[in-house]
Amino acid sequence: AQKVTQAQTEISVVEKEDVTLDCVYETRDTTYYLFWYKQPPSGELVFLIRRNSFDEQNEISGRYSWNFQKSTSSFNFTITASQVVDSAVYFCALSEARSDYKLSFGAGTTVTVRA
Amino acid sequence: NAGVTQTPKFQVLKTGQSMTLQCAQDMNHNSMYWYRQDPGMGLRLIYYSASEGTTDKGEVPNGYNVSRLNKREFSLRLESAAPSQTSVYFCASKSRRDRVNYGYTFGSGTRLTVV
């Protein structure tokens, strides 16, 4: 069963628009971590953010912000004032205590930012 | 630079050939992982090693073998390559002691094509 669902396959925006990426996860564990990774066209995986299951406080870090809601099992990620360099594939991932914190990835959302 | 080093970066194999993907980390991490990335499917876990001397199957282990040679090195072997194993392979490591971050460090990937 898919533990992490990213329903959006592709998103295309014009530069300076905001982009929100949806992520829904499934777990029975009480202790878990959620991640967002970025994969630019060069192919490497870049860690962006991480939250643990005990901290639902939403934060902003530069142009990135996230909305973690345990009630809906969602961990959405927003890029504010998008730039061309934000064009990449974005992955949401889950690691659970009961599975020794192995990472389970969503299918990814391809974001294209047009100038 | 500290991190996870994967070799080779690119490889083309003929069906039925064998090869070993190498992975080494210099961060003294306990756990190491092999993932494969296919379009539209995110990253899927092939095998992992929670500590030196142990290995376990992940989500898609068929057609692969692994060796945790020592704490630094974790290799992935394809005994008889098949076109279905055409993919991008990522190695990752994580420290079990890093309970605050539970952060993964990923290698830069190996792009494998089986013809």
Side-chain angles (χ1 to χ4, degrees), chain A residues 14 27 50 53 56 67 77 80 83 89 97 114-115:
Chain A
V14 177
T27 181
R50 176 208 71 252
S53 54
E56 285 190 78
N67 186 349
F77 175 65
T80 302
Q83 301 174 2
V89 181
R114 308 186 307 278

Side-chain angles (χ1 to χ4, degrees), chain A residues 2 4-10 39 89-91 105-110, chain B residues 36-44 59 87:
Chain A
Q2 188 75 12
V4 179
T5 301
Q6 295 180 252
Q8 304 151 307
T9 303
E10 295 183 20
Q39 186 177 45
V89 181
Y90 291 82
F91 292 101
F105 285 84
T109 298
T110 300
Chain B
R36 61 175 289 173
Q37 180 182 6
D38 302 294
M41 303 188 75
L43 279 76
R44 294 179 293 168
E59 184 183 352
S87 187

